[in-house]
Amino acid sequence: MALFGTSGIRGVIGREITPELAFRLGACLVRRIGWRVVVARDARTSGLMLENALAAGVMSAGGNVVRIGIAPTPTTALASRNYGDCGVIITASHNPPEYNGFKLFNSEGKEAGREEEQRVEREIGVGQEERGTGEGRRPSAVSRVAKWNEVGRDEKNRMALKEHVEKVLALVDVALIRKKSPKVVVDCGNGAASVIMPYALREAGCKVVGVNAEPSGVFARGLEPNAENLRETAAIVKAVGADLGIAHDGDADRAIVIDENGELLGLDAQLAMMCEEELGKKKGVVVSTIEASMGVKEAIEKGGGKFAITKVGSVHVAREMGRLGAVFGGEPCGEYIFAGGVPVPDGILAGLKFVEMWCRKGSLGKLKSKMKSYPMRRAKFPAKERGKAMQTIAPEVKKAFKGKFYEEDGVRVDFEGGWLLVRASGTEPIVRITAEAKDEKLLAKAFAKAEGIVKKYLS
Ligand code: MG
């Protein structure tokens, strides 16, 4: 079993994630990737412990560690490009506080691909047999400690956050934002956004109301920025008469938007709105994933753009964008990548782009009401051996439906009047069905057909 999931290494502190693993990872990065390693962390209480262990690993292998402290994922990607041969953020994104993990970047600031991850896995020698115990084959990284005069240096970098703010502000119309000076509620979830987003908004000329904006690692709300966790924040947006609200997950690669009425725009609508916004500035290809809704596809077509579809995961979106020279790429979880920005999802830039959208187009609630949306249904089914189950489920789905199939990641079928996706989760032992159609009847029919197949092969 691989050490890396769909979004780096992630697990529970003291179980999958230990200081020993951090140490080995640090040493391995120097041996396999490069000697200058940028390290950042989100606000979790275990972050500094892991950072110190990772730094020790880097230095023991003769590498230099460049510490940027608490910072979002996109800031770390930018700093990796500016200062490192590679970079690591210690984060578990939206997971509960007992989780943590590592996400790797190369010297271009791109998320490590599967090949780079495999090199790291081989070196640190962590397979399934030793996950959870921290015991097992001791890799060479630990035994070969640098001599006294070859131990690496520990550098502090205080420029990374400032440089990210500068980059973000260069990509939005600051003059317009300053003129309109919107009132913005920002909910940082006590995560990494706390150290940058309120300042970036203020710098851009917004009146800022910060919520959960202390990077304490003690999370006042669930870090997954969904409707339930954002209920209070949404009420605050309305109560203080803000023009919009922005909420982030723990590492601020995601931005979730709340309109002036205290309503969440919704993940599909806000993605469709951003597709239209970016295509309004520049025509071209827009990349999204097999989870993209019909509303997103229609917004791209209406905006004069070309829709390109790829596998779920920001690393795939970023790659496809690079390959096609796309103007924008986004996933319906609130992760957006902008041409000219960093090559990873940037919640800070996305938030500012929505502020800019409000300044140019007015009420986001009204804009949302103009977006098309169709009935949609999602369900998840527990599946211990989800990969194996999909091997039998996918051909059955293909037999049961007529239409255009995408099979690179689960199985998606675009049929007359709708689409359906059956896919194994990248991080949890579940299989998901997602379906959308022009009307409820068509949706119910397609969903029931897929549900029948999944239940049959999972039982
Ligand atoms: Mg995240």
Side-chain angles (χ1 to χ4, degrees), residues 68-146:
I68 64 175
I70 294 178
T73 286
T75 314
T76 314
L78 182 64
S80 301
R81 185 158 87 189
N82 289 344
Y83 300 104
D85 295 311
C86 62
V88 185
I89 180 154
I90 298 164
T91 180
S93 187
H94 59 274
N95 286 114
E98 64 270 27
Y99 281 76
N100 215 331
F102 310 93
K103 193 184 274 205
L104 312 183
F105 306 96
N106 67 17
S107 60
E108 294 170 62
K110 293 178 180 160
E111 266 179 73
R114 194 64 207 120
E115 316 77 51
E116 282 153 317
E117 289 180 348
Q118 274 169 348
R119 271 159 68 192
V120 171
E121 276 171 4
R122 274 198 298 274
E123 171 78 17
I124 52 183
V126 178
Q128 195 176 24
E129 68 286 356
E130 51 179 338
R131 282 185 88 178
T133 64
E135 295 301 320
R137 185 161 58 92
R138 283 289 154 192
S140 53
V142 178
S143 49
R144 280 188 279 132
V145 173

Side-chain angles (χ1 to χ4, degrees), residues 184-323:
V184 182
V185 168
V186 59
D187 180 347
C188 302
N190 303 108
S194 309
V195 300
I196 182 168
M197 193 54 171
Y199 308 98
L201 287 167
R202 206 161 291 143
E203 184 82 21
C206 302
K207 299 181 203 80
V208 183
V209 181
V211 177
N212 304 324
E214 208 179 305
S216 58
V218 179
F219 306 130
R221 64 155 165 91
L223 281 186
E224 174 86 48
N226 57 24
E228 195 193 323
N229 291 333
L230 297 180
R231 201 181 303 139
E232 266 181 56
T233 309
I236 291 170
V237 172
K238 202 168 173 209
V240 303
D243 297 304
L244 70 151
I246 298 160
H248 298 287
D249 64 337
D251 63 329
D253 54 354
R254 292 206 256 162
I256 302 303
V257 185
I258 301 162
D259 72 13
E260 69 282 5
N261 306 313
E263 303 278 340
L264 268 70
L265 294 182
L267 295 170
D268 295 301
Q270 71 169 57
L271 176 56
M273 285 160 74
M274 190 52 78
C275 290
E276 242 184 63
E277 172 80 358
E278 289 302 293
L279 285 166
K281 292 175 193 156
K282 198 178 173 197
K283 300 276 177 259
V285 176
V286 172
V287 177
S288 192
T289 72
I290 48 165
E291 289 181 331
S293 69
M294 293 198 289
V296 167
K297 204 173 157 194
E298 286 178 9
I300 294 168
E301 281 158 7
K302 195 177 142 212
K306 199 171 168 299
F307 177 43
I309 199 164
T310 186
K311 290 192 218 180
V312 173
S314 50
V315 66
H316 302 295
V317 174
R319 272 195 192 166
E320 200 63 0
M321 283 180 71
R323 197 174 73 81

Side-chain angles (χ1 to χ4, degrees), residues 224-227 254 256 264-272 288-296 312 330-336 373-382 412 419-423 425 428 430-437 440 443-444 446-448 450-451 454-455:
E224 174 86 48
N226 57 24
R254 292 206 256 162
I256 302 303
L264 268 70
L265 294 182
L267 295 170
D268 295 301
Q270 71 169 57
L271 176 56
S288 192
T289 72
I290 48 165
E291 289 181 331
S293 69
M294 293 198 289
V296 167
V312 173
E331 291 194 76
C333 62
E335 293 191 357
Y336 302 161
S373 79
Y374 301 100
M376 199 170 211
R377 240 179 113 179
R378 287 193 175 94
K380 51 185 181 183
F381 304 86
R412 170 172 164 142
W419 64 277
L420 179 132
L421 171 72
V422 184
R423 179 178 177 267
S425 161
E428 296 168 78
I430 53 173
V431 167
R432 274 201 185 88
I433 301 178
T434 311
E436 188 186 19
E440 290 285 356
L443 176 68
F447 193 90
E451 191 180 22
V454 168
K455 279 191 170 161

Side-chain angles (χ1 to χ4, degrees), residues 176 270-282 299 303 328 338 352-361 367 371:
L176 176 70
Q270 71 169 57
L271 176 56
M273 285 160 74
M274 190 52 78
C275 290
E276 242 184 63
E277 172 80 358
E278 289 302 293
L279 285 166
K281 292 175 193 156
K282 198 178 173 197
F328 174 67
F338 297 87
L352 263 302
K353 288 264 187 183
F354 277 103
V355 169
E356 185 192 17
M357 191 191 288
W358 180 89
C359 292
R360 189 175 309 111
K361 297 178 176 168
L367 273 181
M371 305 311 293

